[in-house]
Amino acid sequence: MFIEQPAKWLRWLYPHALWRMDRHEKAVYLTFDDGPIPEATPFILDVLHHYGIKATFFMVGDNARKYPQLHQRVVNEGHRIGNHTHNHISGFRHTIHDYSYNVEKANAYLKTNLVRPPHGWMRLEQYAWLSRKFKIVMWDLVTRDYSKWMTADDVLANVKRYARNGSIITFHDSLKSIDKLRVALPAAIEWLSSQGYAFKTFE
C-alpha cells in the first residue's frame, strides 16, 4: 500500500504538492507519465476519445522533442500537459542547478504550469524551487502498471481497491505498461464510471 497510496509522512514532506483533490467530490483525475511515445500514447488517446474523457499527460521533454506530432495530438484533443523533466531525472541524483535546468529545458517544449517529479522524490531545495514556478502534482493512487510482476488484472484490482473521491490516478504511457493497459485502462474507466466517478483535469 505504500506504493499504491503514499504514506501520510510523504505527503507531509511536500505539503504544497497536490496529492488528492476534493475528497467531497465524486471525481478522479487520470494521469499518464513518461510519454509521449508512438508505441503507447496513441492507444491511450484512442481509449480516452472513445469514452469522452480528458486526462493529464506528464511528459518527458525529450520525448515531446522526438515526437512533436504526438505531443501536438495530445494538446489538440484537449488533454492537459505536465512537465516530467527533460530526461526523467531523479532529484536525489542531481544538484538544484542541474535539476532546474532540466525542468526548464523540458518546459521549452511543454509550456505548462504543471510538474511531476520522476519517482515522486526531490530534494527540499528542488521542491522549494518547483513550488515557486509550478503546480506540483503527485498522486493518490499509483496503479503499478509499469511493474513486470503485475498483470492487467492486478492493475485493475489496484484501481478498484484504492480509488476514492478526488484520487489522482497514475498510469504510464510507456513500453513497460502498454500491454497491461490495453486491457486494464478501458476496464478501469468502465468500472470508475459504473461507480459514479466523473473524470477531471487540473486547472
Side-chain angles (χ1 to χ4, degrees), residues 1 5 10 13 17 19 37 64 73-74 77 81 86 96 119 121 137 156 166 172 174 178 188:
M1 182 173 174
Q5 283 190 321
L10 187 57
L13 187 62
W19 292 94
I37 60 169
R73 180 184 168 188
V74 176
E77 295 187 10
I81 302 296
H86 195 69
I96 178 63
H119 314 297
W121 293 99
V137 181
L156 177 60
H172 295 77
S174 70
I178 187 58

Side-chain angles (χ1 to χ4, degrees), residues 24-179:
H24 301 295
E25 184 178 19
K26 191 82 172 179
V28 294
Y29 295 69
L30 300 187
T31 68
F32 296 87
D33 288 3
D34 300 350
I37 60 169
E39 296 87 351
T41 311
F43 169 79
I44 292 168
L45 289 171
D46 289 345
V47 170
L48 295 174
H49 177 75
H50 175 77
Y51 290 101
I53 291 170
K54 304 302 181 190
T56 304
F57 288 77
F58 287 92
M59 293 185 177
V60 172
D62 197 44
N63 284 341
R65 179 193 65 80
K66 289 187 290 188
Y67 307 111
Q69 291 181 329
L70 193 49
H71 170 215
Q72 192 60 46
R73 180 184 168 188
V74 176
V75 174
N76 290 347
E77 295 187 10
H79 303 287
R80 283 285 269 130
I81 302 296
N83 187 322
H84 205 44
T85 75
H86 195 69
N87 302 105
H88 200 265
I89 65 171
S90 169
F92 282 169
R93 295 180 181 177
H94 293 82
T95 66
I96 178 63
H97 176 270
D98 290 344
Y99 191 82
S100 60
Y101 174 80
N102 203 265
V103 171
E104 294 284 20
K105 186 176 181 180
N107 226 40
Y109 297 95
L110 303 176
K111 298 177 173 59
T112 178
N113 69 323
L114 305 177
V115 67
R116 173 177 282 166
H119 314 297
W121 293 99
M122 56 200 139
R123 297 175 186 268
L124 291 180
E125 63 268 26
Q126 295 162 350
Y127 164 67
W129 179 82
L130 288 174
S131 297
R132 291 193 297 269
K133 298 180 68 70
F134 297 91
K135 183 180 293 184
I136 303 173
V137 181
M138 302 296 257
W139 65 88
D140 184 58
L141 162 58
V142 174
T143 62
R144 297 185 66 201
D145 53 352
Y146 55 81
S147 173
K148 65 180 180 180
W149 308 112
M150 304 288 283
T151 66
D153 286 343
D154 294 329
V155 172
L156 177 60
N158 278 338
V159 173
K160 291 182 175 181
R161 181 175 181 181
Y162 296 109
R164 54 186 179 174
N165 288 2
S167 280
I168 300 170
I169 302 176
T170 298
F171 295 97
H172 295 77
D173 47 335
S174 70
L175 293 175
K176 293 179 180 179
S177 303
I178 187 58
D179 287 345

